[in-house]
Amino acid sequence: MQNDEVIWQVIRHKHCSFMSKIETGIFCRNPYNVTGICNRSSCPLANSRYATIRDHDGVFYLYMKTIERAHMPNKLWERVKLPRNYEKALEIIDKHLMYWPKFLAHKTKQRLTKMTQMRIRMRKLALKTREKIMTTPRKEKKREARREEKAEKAAVLDKSIERELLERLKKGVYGDAYKDIYNYPFDKYQKVLEGEEMQLDTEREEEEEEPEIEYVEGYDELEEEDDIEDFAGFSIDNSHADDDNDTNFLVSCD
C-alpha cells in the first residue's frame, strides 16, 4: 500500500534525484512539479492526488493523478487538452478540479497563467528580427586564415605563369606548335589565347566606332561643272557663227 508520508520522509533528506539545491533555495527538476519548489505539498512523488500543466509543442495539457491508478504506471496520469483561449482553459480546470484541494487548483491556474504569458512573449520575440550572435572557435579562425594565405599564394603563382606565357607567345618562342606544350595545362593556355582574341576584337571595335575626321574642298566639282557649261556655251556660239558665215558666202555667190 502506498503511503505519501513515508515516501516524503525517505526522499526529503537529499535522497531524491530531482532535487536541486542552490543558494536561493531548494528546487525540483521534475517536469510534473506544479511550482518547481521542493516541498511536501508540491512534490509529485509524495502526493497520490496531484495535478499540473505541461506543454507539448505549444499545446497545453492538464495532467491529473489519483490513488486509484497507482497500481497502473502506464495509466497513472490522465491528460486533458486545454484550448488556446485562456478563459475556456480556466473553465476546464475548474470543472475537473472542482472537488480537489484548493491549494492544488490555485497553483494549477497560476501555472497556466505563467505559461500563457510566456507563450505570448515567445510569439512577439519570434516576430521581431534580431541579430544572432555567433561565436567562432579560435582554431577555426587560424585554419581559415592559413587557407586564405595559401589560396592567395596560388593565385599569385597562376598570374605570374600567365604573364610569362603571354610574353613567350609574343616573342614567338613556341611558334605554331602550341599544342606540344606539356609543362602548362592546355585549358589555361586556351584561356590566355581567348583573352588575347577578345582584346583584339575590342580594339577593332573601338577603331570602327571612332572614325577619323577628314576635311576636303567642296568647290572643285562646282568649278568643273562651270567649266563644262562654259565650254558648251562656247561651242554653241561657234556653231552659230559658222552657220552665219556659210549663209553669207552663199548669198555673195548668187
Side-chain angles (χ1 to χ4, degrees), residues 43-61:
C43 182
L45 302 178
N47 289 278
S48 300
R49 198 177 191 186
Y50 199 79
T52 184
I53 303 290
R54 292 196 65 185
D55 181 13
H56 291 283
D57 298 330
V59 181
F60 296 156
Y61 291 91

Side-chain angles (χ1 to χ4, degrees), residues 26-62:
I26 301 174
F27 296 93
C28 180
R29 294 194 298 260
N30 194 310
Y32 290 95
N33 195 311
V34 72
T35 60
I37 301 173
C38 183
N39 54 27
R40 174 69 176 81
S41 59
S42 300
C43 182
L45 302 178
N47 289 278
S48 300
R49 198 177 191 186
Y50 199 79
T52 184
I53 303 290
R54 292 196 65 185
D55 181 13
H56 291 283
D57 298 330
V59 181
F60 296 156
Y61 291 91
L62 173 64

